[in-house]
Amino acid sequence: MKLSTLFNSKFGTGTALWLGRTLPVWLGYPFSRVVADWLSSQRDFSQVRALRSNLWVASGESASSQQLDAWVKQNFRNSARAIFDFYHNIRSPQRVIDLVEIAPSFQEIIEIGKTGKQGQILVLPHVSNFDLVGRAAALRGLQMQVISAPNPPGGYAWQNVIREEVGIEITPASPEAMRRAMSNLRRGSTVLTGVDRPFAASSYHPVFFGRPAALPVVHVQLALRMKLPIKVICGALQENHRYLVWASQPVMMKEMQDHDAEILRNSEAVLEVAEALIRQYPEQWNMTHPIWPEMLEETP
């Protein structure tokens, strides 16, 4: 069995959950660091190859092999810490809230969500501890529907059950999820989805970091239909070992007569905001699926 298959299985997720809840902090952090360093050193591991390639393209195809090694190593360390923080504190709502610092721009999203007077469309790049950030937001009163990847493997399905514990509605991408999202937005709720996970079946290839990529566009389709802006949110680990979450300015949708051009233009406007966030935290961009498969062999 491939390592990626093992980690994403129910067994892999269950093991991480058990270790996170069982190990004390003084042992959990060093243990997660050792595991992360070993994983990041496995150059042939598919997730390492994908992350290196994604980071290389994001650098403008200018990062050296040594720089990529450093980014990948730190990324796996940050990801392992994030997993431990999430599972270790999953049964302590107050600790989850304390670990996540809410910037005023994101507090505004929470307050709007509580009123139920205005639908909100949020997207996020896979930076840092997005599961912990989402749980903290839900515990603070933000009700939301998350449009997730379709047909999740066993481990992802288990993670989705954990997310739903705090009232987050998980709907794998489908026409039904789209209809559900429009209904939620009409009644003033919040819809969130990822913006940077590759989706091979996508009919659109917006430019991301200078290269076309098969990425989801459901958020743009929703925004155009509902005449709503999109906000990009991000949560990143800070030096004080807390996760700061904030939101961008609204990205307003531009209507065009050519529907395909309309989707691409607005998708790229959102991706430009996500690019800036990823460039700010390359060592926390945990995208281990190849966004540009054709670049895997080109990466130093």
Side-chain angles (χ1 to χ4, degrees), residues 88-161:
H88 187 73
N89 298 290
I90 198 170
R91 298 300 175 218
S92 177
Q94 188 57 53
R95 181 59 181 159
V96 169
I97 290 173
D98 290 343
L99 274 171
V100 179
E101 182 180 351
I102 306 294
S105 58
F106 192 78
Q107 183 62 40
E108 180 182 5
I109 287 174
I110 294 176
E111 297 305 321
I112 291 173
K114 286 179 178 179
T115 68
K117 295 180 179 179
Q118 179 182 333
Q120 302 181 103
I121 300 175
L122 311 178
V123 299
L124 55 77
H126 286 71
V127 173
S128 194
N129 205 341
F130 41 88
D131 266 320
L132 187 73
V133 165
R135 197 173 186 88
L139 290 170
R140 290 176 181 268
L142 181 64
Q143 295 184 339
M144 60 184 141
Q145 173 193 354
V146 174
I147 301 177
S148 64
N151 303 316
Y156 283 109
W158 199 346
Q159 289 171 357
N160 287 341
V161 170

Side-chain angles (χ1 to χ4, degrees), residues 58 123 125 195-196 206-211 215 219-220 230-233 248-253 263-280 292:
V123 299
V195 73
D196 57 348
V207 172
F208 188 36
F209 286 112
R211 285 188 170 274
L215 293 171
H219 51 290
V220 171
I230 294 173
K231 289 185 178 180
V232 182
I233 64 171
S248 72
Q249 292 295 313
V251 180
M252 310 305 295
M253 297 293 98
I263 295 292
L264 284 173
R265 190 272 178 196
N266 287 295
S267 295
E268 289 169 357
V270 174
L271 287 171
E272 285 180 7
V273 179
E275 286 176 14
L277 297 174
I278 292 167
R279 288 192 182 100
Q280 187 177 356
W292 305 273

Side-chain angles (χ1 to χ4, degrees), residues 212-265:
L215 293 171
V217 297
V218 62
H219 51 290
V220 171
Q221 293 169 329
L222 278 173
L224 287 167
R225 291 188 186 183
M226 304 302 297
K227 298 188 182 302
L228 290 170
I230 294 173
K231 289 185 178 180
V232 182
I233 64 171
C234 187
L237 182 66
Q238 306 297 299
E239 290 184 0
N240 62 2
H241 303 304
R242 297 178 70 201
Y243 299 88
L244 174 66
V245 57
W246 69 97
S248 72
Q249 292 295 313
V251 180
M252 310 305 295
M253 297 293 98
K254 182 178 180 180
E255 296 184 357
M256 302 170 66
Q257 290 186 343
D258 185 321
H259 179 65
D260 288 340
E262 180 183 55
I263 295 292
L264 284 173
R265 190 272 178 196

Side-chain angles (χ1 to χ4, degrees), residues 36-90:
D37 287 353
W38 179 78
L39 288 173
S40 65
S41 69
Q42 305 305 301
R43 283 287 195 96
D44 292 332
F45 182 23
S46 61
Q47 292 185 331
V48 171
R49 292 186 68 219
L51 181 57
R52 284 178 61 85
S53 182
N54 292 340
L55 286 168
W56 186 59
V57 175
S59 75
E61 301 172 21
S62 63
S64 66
S65 179
Q66 292 75 17
Q67 178 63 76
L68 293 175
D69 286 341
W71 278 342
V72 168
K73 184 175 184 177
Q74 191 58 48
N75 193 295
F76 270 78
R77 285 181 175 181
N78 287 331
S79 179
R81 183 187 181 98
I83 292 170
F84 179 76
D85 279 339
F86 181 65
Y87 288 135
H88 187 73
N89 298 290
I90 198 170

